Amino acid sequence: MVGNLLLRGMLAGVVAGVLVFAFAHIFGEPLVDQAIAFEEAAAQAAGETAEPEIVSRATQAGLGLLTGVMAYSIAVGGLFALVFAFIQGRFSNLSARGTCAVIAVAAFVAIVIVPNIKYPANPPAVGNPDTIGVRTELFFLMIVVSIAALVAAIALARRLTPRFGMWNAAIAAGLAYVGFIGLVQYLLPPINEVPENYSAMVLWRFRTTTIGMHAILWGVLGLAFGALAERKLGAAPRLSARASVFH
């Protein structure tokens, strides 16, 4: 069963990857071109020599983008299926589609929204190359903390439910999650390396496009895998019933 769900999760990842690639190619790549043009103009004004282009922009925006997006989407789709297989029936009594919707929304908030509030994505020409290691570490630290806080909030909600009811417990756990994340983001160091004359519109559109790509990914995974999982889980009892008749 887990193997079948994993295969369906990867299939949902393929569908999501195609849609994410189309969105990124249409809306994201023109912003990258504008950012690169700004970077080249700044380097030329400073008298710096242009670096040789190892991979052409056409390849980066086409085959390179497609390969990266598809690999990431399929991997995330597989992980999504494994998380669903672990949660369904153990921690969730919802239907397969309901559980998938909850997982997708929770993952989108914990993995995308929360880290990007503190450390949003940056286009080319934004960010100091000397600090890329520190910025990457802080970003992934924010993801780890957010996921751990989400798991703790879910455990808290389950503990409070018998005493206060499901809705009150969920509200209390949600407030605890928001409060803890707010404290962590306040304590972590801020990073602002945007050049003074950089286009605010390009920066804003790049960051919203990045979030849009993740929204498509998690939305499609929640919907597509939910439908595939519900169909598979619905077929399993029927097969078991038929087998019991023959016995």
Side-chain angles (χ1 to χ4, degrees):
M1 178 63 71
V2 174
N4 288 328
L5 291 175
L6 177 62
L7 180 61
R8 282 162 172 76
M10 297 174 69
L11 178 60
V14 171
V15 177
V18 171
L19 296 178
V20 171
F21 167 74
F23 180 83
H25 187 75
I26 295 173
F27 298 101
E29 287 302 323
L31 300 174
V32 175
D33 289 334
Q34 294 179 45
I36 292 175
F38 175 88
E39 188 175 37
E40 292 175 347
Q44 186 177 5
E48 300 176 359
T49 304
E51 297 182 1
E53 188 177 59
I54 300 176
V55 180
S56 67
R57 273 295 297 146
T59 301
Q60 294 176 22
L63 181 61
L65 177 63
L66 177 62
T67 302
V69 167
M70 293 302 296
Y72 180 79
S73 300
I74 293 172
V76 172
L79 291 174
F80 190 98
L82 294 178
V83 172
F84 170 83
F86 177 75
I87 291 177
Q88 184 68 4
R90 292 186 178 92
F91 303 100
S92 173
N93 295 321
L94 299 174
S95 66
R97 291 191 177 188
T99 300
C100 287
V102 172
I103 295 174
V105 172
F108 180 68
V109 171
I111 299 176
V112 180
I113 297 299
V114 168
N116 275 277
I117 290 175
K118 183 67 178 181
Y119 303 114
N122 288 325
V126 175
N128 186 346
D130 297 332
T131 64
I132 187 171
V134 175
R135 288 186 281 119
T136 302
E137 291 173 359
L138 288 173
F139 181 79
F140 281 102
L141 174 62
M142 193 69 252
I143 292 179
V144 172
V145 170
S146 180
I147 294 175
L150 178 63
V151 173
I154 294 173
L156 176 62
R158 288 173 59 84
R159 180 179 291 271
L160 295 177
T161 296
R163 182 175 181 181
F164 300 102
M166 183 181 67
W167 280 107
N168 292 332
I171 292 172
L175 291 175
Y177 173 80
V178 172
F180 177 75
I181 290 298
L183 177 62
V184 171
Q185 293 198 349
Y186 175 77
L187 294 176
L188 288 177
I191 296 178
N192 182 15
E193 298 176 347
V194 181
E196 293 183 0
N197 56 342
Y198 196 86
S199 171
M201 181 59 68
V202 172
L203 182 63
W204 169 255
R205 289 177 59 193
F206 182 87
R207 290 175 173 175
T208 54
T209 300
T210 300
I211 293 177
M213 292 167 58
H214 285 283
I216 293 173
L217 171 64
W218 291 105
V220 173
L221 285 179
L223 295 173
F225 178 75
L228 293 172
E230 186 174 68
R231 185 174 182 180
K232 175 61 181 178
L233 295 178
R238 291 196 296 270
L239 292 176
S240 299
R242 291 176 184 176
S244 63
V245 170
F246 285 108
H247 285 293

